Amino acid sequence: MATVNPNKPTILLKTNGAKNMLERRHQAVSIKVGIIGLGLQGTKYASLIHDGKVKGMALTAVNSRSEEKRDYVQEHFKEVLFYQDYHDLVKNEAIDAVIICVPHFQHVAIAMEALAHNKHVLVEKPLSVHTKELEELNRLAEEKPDLRFGIIFNQRTKPVYQKLKDVLVERIIGNIRNWQWTAARTWRPLAYYEQNEWRATWNGEGGGVLINQASHHIDLITWLFGMPEKVFAHLKYGSQRDITVDDDVTAVFTYTNGMSGVFTSRTHDFFGTDRLEILGDKGKIMIENGDWMNMKVFDQEEQLWSKKLSLAEFKTLEQNPPYYQEKMLDYREVKQNPYVSIMENFMESITKNTRLFATKVDGERNVELINAIYLSDWLQQEVSIPFDQSLYLEKLHAIMEKEREG
């Protein structure tokens, strides 16, 4: 692909011959992208796009409030426009889409301004800190139905979870009875929190492990199992780190169809575990570390074959287990950059109307469930979904004020 000058419209050269016709057919349209926020993630995305790792995207502009980042951009991203004020970036009519990589509390305001200037939007997780501020965003998005709005939930791109989604949709293990997920490969030392003032604060992030690291798992939970009817949670705040936000989470979910789930996550478990177990009427699925899947499937529902089991057969069950098929799927050797997958999917949603990995609605559900978990712990009671959004905001503001007072 020819080098793209981000300050000029892309020009495709006319060529002849069957080979060139085939190349043109598969050549992606260049989407000019501006990145707002050049922190860890923003710089990573800018590098991937600038280095040609994301097909069909051209890095046109970047934004950072830091003057030091201007020199970095001039050195590493040749011909890319630098804006210290994101307002100026979104006003640039040459830019087709923006990727928002700033602290959580700024996501909605910047996304709204980008939509107002007719930009497609891709936002880092979480979409927001609380559901209440999504009302105005939704009204604006409804007025811009032709604009794409995606969320960076990179775990959805993993082959093991894509396979799991298909298995659950096809009901291969029957009706799901319950699931439990220990997501504790999120260990963080104190130095991690001290690298930025806004990290691990209510005023900077709106929470701790739940809204930061574990938001990816919460997204997968809503994607795979749907929204629960009720949640009961127990959180610990700064239990093992000198922070004011949560570093340990346990939540129990109940669903209208009788399914239940238990989720745990923490940032102080150095050895870590990431294990998802799903029990269904016809079998069980276990996923370890997001890399491999073990699936065991009976030929009929457990409640049916167990009725036919005699006491003598029950006593010798270990020697004569019921018939089931077992399948192991190993994805550890699959080489895939989830961020490239997300950005290419976003580009194709613009150019080919491809379905997004995660939409604004998915982002809303993610925020809603996270808020419900926090609210349950704050009230020390089970919370129904939907919940009182104004009550949540009142509680959050009180906690933020207390944090500011020291």
Side-chain angles (χ1 to χ4, degrees):
M1 182 179 294
T3 302
V4 176
N5 183 336
N7 299 313
K8 296 181 181 180
T10 303
I11 299 175
L12 301 180
L13 299 178
K14 293 183 178 180
T15 54
N16 296 313
K19 179 180 179 181
N20 290 329
M21 288 176 65
L22 183 62
E23 290 176 350
R24 286 202 306 275
R25 191 178 305 140
H26 293 286
Q27 187 175 30
V29 176
S30 289
I31 296 299
K32 298 181 177 65
V33 176
I35 293 183
I36 299 176
L38 274 184
L40 182 64
Q41 292 303 111
T43 301
K44 178 188 295 184
Y45 304 153
S47 297
L48 288 170
I49 298 170
H50 182 265
D51 295 344
K53 301 294 179 60
V54 183
K55 296 177 182 178
M57 274 193 179
L59 184 63
T60 301
V62 295
N63 151 257
S64 174
R65 293 181 298 179
S66 171
E67 273 287 355
E68 296 177 359
K69 292 294 178 70
R70 183 188 298 273
D71 296 333
Y72 180 88
V73 170
Q74 290 177 347
E75 179 182 354
H76 294 87
F77 305 137
K78 304 296 183 182
E79 298 185 6
V80 172
L81 301 175
F82 179 88
Y83 292 96
Q84 198 165 6
D85 189 333
Y86 79 83
H87 299 284
D88 295 326
L89 185 150
V90 298
K91 291 176 184 176
N92 186 335
E93 295 183 357
I95 296 172
D96 302 308
V98 297
I99 302 177
I100 301 173
C101 309
V102 296
H104 304 166
F105 277 102
Q106 302 173 43
H107 287 181
V108 171
I110 295 177
M112 288 183 62
E113 185 161 354
L115 288 175
H117 285 86
N118 298 314
K119 303 292 188 280
H120 302 282
V121 176
L122 183 61
V123 187
E124 254 295 347
K125 58 80 186 170
L127 170 59
S128 171
V129 172
H130 57 85
T131 56
K132 190 67 175 174
E133 70 172 341
L134 296 176
E135 295 174 357
E136 192 175 351
L137 172 63
N138 289 336
R139 284 194 291 269
L140 179 58
E142 289 175 1
E143 298 173 2
K144 307 276 186 175
D146 294 332
L147 295 177
R148 300 294 179 266
F149 197 119
I151 314 293
I152 301 178
F153 285 129
N154 59 67
Q155 294 299 298
R156 288 195 182 203
T157 71
K158 283 193 170 185
V160 68
Y161 296 126
Q162 289 284 323
K163 177 63 176 179
L164 176 59
K165 179 67 172 178
D166 292 340
V167 168
L168 296 182
V169 169
E170 295 170 12
R171 301 170 60 83
I172 291 177
I173 62 169
N175 294 322
I176 300 174
R177 297 176 175 178
N178 52 59
W179 58 265
Q180 55 185 351
W181 200 337
T182 299
R185 295 185 70 189
T186 49
W187 182 80
R188 296 292 187 274
L190 188 59
Y192 168 81
Y193 301 112
E194 293 178 338
Q195 64 181 321
N196 303 107
E197 290 184 359
W198 54 266
R199 286 188 185 274
T201 64
W202 292 106
N203 286 274
E205 289 196 276
V209 59
L210 180 60
I211 202 168
N212 190 335
Q213 293 84 10
S215 64
H216 285 294
H217 301 90
I218 297 299
D219 169 63
L220 289 175
I221 287 169
T222 60
W223 184 50
L224 296 168
F225 308 117
M227 285 293 286
E229 178 187 24
K230 297 179 180 179
V231 58
F232 183 82
H234 174 65
L235 281 65
K236 298 177 183 178
Y237 303 91
S239 68
Q240 306 299 326
R241 297 290 183 269
D242 186 18
I243 57 178
T244 59
V245 294
D246 48 294
D247 60 359
D248 196 306
V249 176
T250 300
V252 179
F253 306 101
T254 56
Y255 297 78
T256 55
N257 62 1
M259 177 174 61
S260 62
V262 179
F263 174 74
T264 60
S265 186
R266 49 193 174 268
T267 56
H268 53 80
D269 183 351
F270 176 79
F271 302 100
T273 300
D274 190 335
R275 184 179 180 87
L276 170 61
E277 296 187 11
I278 307 170
L279 177 64
D281 288 339
K282 290 186 62 179
K284 188 172 187 177
I285 296 172
M286 291 174 285
I287 294 180
E288 196 86 27
N289 298 329
D291 291 326
W292 60 266
M293 178 193 299
N294 176 266
M295 182 165 56
K296 299 176 181 178
V297 184
F298 295 119
D299 60 350
Q300 61 178 318
E301 288 82 359
E302 180 271 344
Q303 57 265 41
L304 295 180
W305 65 257
S306 65
K307 286 182 179 180
K308 306 171 186 176
L309 202 67
S310 67
L311 186 59
E313 290 172 324
F314 169 66
K315 291 180 178 180
T316 60
L317 202 59
E318 289 186 6
Q319 290 75 35
N320 301 285
Y323 175 78
Y324 65 88
Q325 292 183 326
E326 182 172 5
K327 182 181 291 186
M328 292 284 293
L329 301 172
D330 191 340
Y331 296 97
R332 285 174 292 183
E333 299 302 318
V334 177
K335 303 301 179 184
Q336 173 227 26
N337 186 316
Y339 300 111
V340 170
S341 298
I342 287 284
M343 288 188 285
E344 288 186 345
N345 167 254
F346 177 60
M347 183 277 299
E348 291 179 353
S349 75
I350 298 170
T351 60
K352 302 178 182 178
N353 202 29
T354 300
R355 183 175 181 177
L356 286 163
F357 274 121
T359 66
K360 182 174 64 65
V361 172
D362 296 315
E364 293 166 8
R365 290 173 179 163
N366 179 254
V367 177
E368 184 176 24
L369 187 50
I370 289 172
N371 286 181
I373 294 171
Y374 278 128
L375 187 59
S376 172
D377 180 73
W378 297 342
L379 298 177
Q380 296 188 352
Q381 66 184 41
E382 189 175 57
V383 167
S384 297
I385 300 174
F387 52 87
D388 186 337
Q389 297 180 14
S390 296
L391 176 61
Y392 179 84
L393 193 55
E394 176 187 331
K395 296 288 185 182
L396 176 62
H397 283 167
I399 291 172
M400 292 169 66
E401 180 62 27
K402 184 178 179 180
E403 182 183 69
R404 286 193 294 269
E405 293 174 350

